[in-house]
Amino acid sequence: MDKNRRMHKRMILGRLCLFVSIMAMISVLDGLTAAHRKPDNDLDIITGRSFKITGNVYGNVKKARDIGVVSDSPELSLNFDEDIFSGYFLGVEMWRAELKAGSALSPGRYHLRLVPPDLPEIKPGDRQKLDALLSYTVNVYADAKAQRQGSLSLINRYTGVSPWFSAIGFFLAAVLTGVWIFVISGKIEADLAEQGFAEIYRVSKNAGGLEIFFGLGQCHGLEDGEKIGLFNASGDLLKELVVETIGKETSSAKVDLLNIRPGFMVARMSPSSMNISS
């Protein structure tokens, strides 16, 4: 693959990397927005199905089954496991139960309220907060399609994919594309250096103007004080410069022009290096 084809491929991959990075950020934003709008005690379930949920223990509870449950419908039940367990992070006592929507339960919004035994006397304001923690809203759907249409995540609603899976997928795509760009850029730089060319990868301001940094050095035969040509993105020669700081693989030079930017090129001033469009 020649230099021009590699540079074209790198440009296409750069645009792709930008696109998937933006999509990853959009997916994260969509997931965070949906999570913020949906309280922890707001649950979704499909008629005829069940799943496990957990919650903190309040009151003097010895066994999880001591906790009472008040439900809008006998078809919507919460069946506790017997044992209390300690939470992984904070170590608080927690219960585990199976939320089940019976096959005869019609789609709609239902409520469950937990009634722990022996709750201590607390202030009215704290009682309202506790009641909110002990109350669950259960959204019952007829099927998976209806549940997806009710999702607060736009990505999940229209594609059926979790926004977090989408974010992970686009993030991995961005990483892989970035690695691919890095590999191609290395090959382009090696090819250019063999011909006496290098892209400017950094431009810094100093008291006398600008200092440009490029990927030519002692290993490429560059010498301290050697003259190099500065070219713009169109391949036009702007000025001859003198290499002032030289390293093994990279060097720098000062320039008094102000419209220099990364992506411009430098070339060793030899007859074989003057045509940078080749």
Side-chain angles (χ1 to χ4, degrees), residues 73-219:
S73 170
E75 289 291 323
L76 183 66
S77 60
L78 192 63
N79 301 313
F80 292 94
D81 292 352
E82 184 174 355
D83 296 328
I84 300 295
F85 67 97
S86 295
Y88 182 78
F89 292 104
L90 301 179
V92 298
E93 290 188 329
M94 303 186 69
W95 51 260
R96 183 182 288 109
E98 181 182 47
L99 177 67
K100 183 175 182 180
S103 56
L105 186 62
S106 300
R109 175 168 291 189
Y110 298 85
H111 299 87
L112 289 173
R113 184 166 58 86
L114 305 187
V115 186
D118 301 328
L119 279 176
E121 292 295 328
I122 56 178
K123 298 178 181 179
D126 293 335
R127 170 66 68 177
Q128 292 179 356
K129 295 179 181 179
L130 181 58
D131 288 342
L133 294 173
L134 295 174
S135 300
Y136 290 82
T137 298
V138 183
N139 306 297
V140 180
Y141 297 93
D143 50 36
K145 181 179 179 180
Q147 183 179 11
R148 190 179 74 233
Q149 291 175 343
S151 175
L152 297 177
S153 163
L154 295 177
I155 292 176
N156 181 253
R157 186 185 305 171
Y158 292 108
T159 68
V161 177
S162 165
W164 304 114
F165 288 151
S166 174
I168 292 172
F170 282 119
F171 173 76
L172 292 176
V175 171
L176 292 175
T177 307
V179 171
W180 200 353
I181 292 172
F182 179 80
V183 172
I184 292 177
S185 296
K187 293 180 179 179
I188 291 174
E189 291 175 2
D191 290 343
L192 290 173
E194 287 181 2
Q195 301 173 40
F197 299 95
E199 284 189 356
I200 296 173
Y201 64 84
R202 182 159 65 94
V203 179
S204 299
K205 291 184 178 181
N206 55 37
L210 300 176
E211 185 174 9
I212 60 172
F213 297 82
F214 48 89
L216 284 176
Q218 294 173 344
C219 66

Side-chain angles (χ1 to χ4, degrees), residues 43-47 49-51 99-101 138-141:
L43 308 176
D44 297 333
I45 194 170
I46 296 174
T47 297
R49 296 189 182 181
S50 64
F51 59 83
L99 177 67
K100 183 175 182 180
V138 183
N139 306 297
V140 180
Y141 297 93

Side-chain angles (χ1 to χ4, degrees), residues 235-247:
D236 301 321
L237 177 63
L238 301 178
K239 193 170 186 178
E240 289 188 12
L241 306 174
V242 176
V243 178
E244 299 186 9
T245 303
I246 186 169

